[in-house]
Amino acid sequence: MSETPVKVVVDLSKPKGQRESIIELTQAEIDEREVMATEAEAQRLVDEQAKADAEATRQSGLDKLIALGLTEAEALALVGA
Amino acid sequence: MTMTLIETITVGSGGAASIEFTGIANDLGQDLQVVLSARGSGGTQAAVTFNSDTGSNYSYVRLRGSGSSVLSQSGTTTSIEAGGVVPTSYTADTFSSCSFYVSNYAATAAKSISIETTTENNDTSSFIFMQAAGYSQTAAISSIKLANSSFVEHTTASLYAIS
């Protein structure tokens, strides 16, 4: 396996069977790839936070319904288990 | 309508940072469609560019659902984020289902693109994207690049001509 990341290129102007090439990335392409990885990690963190926020909101609503006198089963039936 | 498979790329062992269709003739048909089944280490996005153009010539409006939240997003960017990749943190051996359709790819006018994507995960968090995108340049599309930090082995991309 090559240490340098590669790209798969299919040149449709060539006859079938001769189209595919595996080409090592240039330094500029490697830099672009690293930016993408950084952006992906940032997006993953945003998604995790959104998921945590949604769960916290749900639990807060559940707690308030129980505080109003509903049983936990009744509250869960309203907000979804 | 006739849908003709032009070529399929399958990523081999070791993975690949990008997949590119080049040398696309302008007489394949009226439209192009790319069907992508992908998994990668660079998050959920496959960045799509045409004609090696990384200028701010791409625009989008999209809905993005994650299983716990929905976002409506729009903007102008240097690539279209097709959102068609299952990240490696998701359930092992699962791949995405992504399709994007390029209308009038050879016309001397701006191009419109529609994209549908789902990712697969045995968890409460997964993604679905619905997207309308635009490419503002008027040259015929002769190459399509799909990039991720690293597409894993068995990722496939197929290019179809629609006539």
Side-chain angles (χ1 to χ4, degrees):
Chain A
M1 188 176 79
S2 171
E3 289 297 319
T4 304
V6 300
K7 58 184 176 182
V8 184
V9 178
V10 167
D11 186 346
L12 300 172
S13 66
K14 295 179 179 175
K16 281 215 171 210
Q18 301 174 27
R19 292 175 171 176
E20 186 168 311
S21 304
I22 310 293
I23 302 169
E24 291 190 347
L25 298 190
T26 64
Q27 188 57 52
E29 289 172 324
I30 291 171
D31 293 344
E32 178 188 358
R33 181 173 177 256
E34 288 173 356
V35 169
M36 285 184 65
T38 302
E39 291 173 349
E41 176 60 13
Q43 186 62 58
R44 187 187 67 78
L45 293 174
V46 167
D47 293 336
E48 282 193 355
Q49 188 60 52
K51 187 178 177 182
D53 290 347
E55 177 55 30
T57 301
R58 177 184 174 281
Q59 188 61 50
S60 173
L62 196 59
D63 292 344
K64 286 173 182 171
L65 287 172
I66 292 170
L68 288 172
L70 277 69
T71 66
E72 184 171 352
E74 289 170 333
L76 283 171
L78 287 175
V79 303
Chain B
M1 185 182 85
T2 302
M3 185 172 183
T4 305
L5 176 64
I6 304 301
E7 190 65 81
T8 295
I9 296 174
T10 302
V11 174
S13 63
S18 65
I19 298 168
E20 296 181 38
F21 296 99
T22 66
I24 299 172
N26 62 10
D27 59 355
L28 295 177
Q30 185 75 22
D31 306 327
L32 295 177
Q33 185 166 17
V34 175
V35 177
L36 175 68
S37 172
R39 183 178 177 88
S41 63
T44 57
Q45 297 299 332
V48 179
T49 49
F50 301 118
N51 298 347
S52 302
D53 182 355
T54 56
S56 296
N57 297 316
Y58 306 86
S59 57
Y60 66 92
V61 176
R62 69 177 173 227
L63 283 174
R64 175 179 175 278
S66 67
S68 59
S69 64
V70 179
L71 295 175
S72 177
Q73 301 169 310
S74 63
T76 300
T77 63
T78 56
S79 66
I80 299 170
E81 293 184 344
V85 184
V86 168
T88 49
S89 58
Y90 280 19
T91 303
D93 300 325
T94 56
F95 286 73
S96 68
S97 174
C98 172
S99 171
F100 67 91
Y101 194 98
V102 184
S103 299
N104 297 310
Y105 79 99
T108 54
K111 315 298 185 296
S112 60
I113 302 104
S114 61
I115 304 168
E116 296 178 6
T117 291
T118 61
T119 59
E120 180 65 38
N121 192 21
N122 185 21
D123 195 354
T124 56
S125 181
S126 192
F127 292 92
I128 180 169
F129 291 83
M130 296 286 290
Q131 188 165 191
Y135 177 51
S136 65
Q137 301 302 288
T138 57
I141 291 174
S142 60
S143 71
I144 300 172
K145 177 181 176 181
L146 311 169
N148 184 265
S149 182
S150 182
F151 290 115
V152 304
E153 184 180 14
H154 305 308
T155 291
T156 62
S158 297
L159 176 67
Y160 293 87
I162 313 296
S163 55

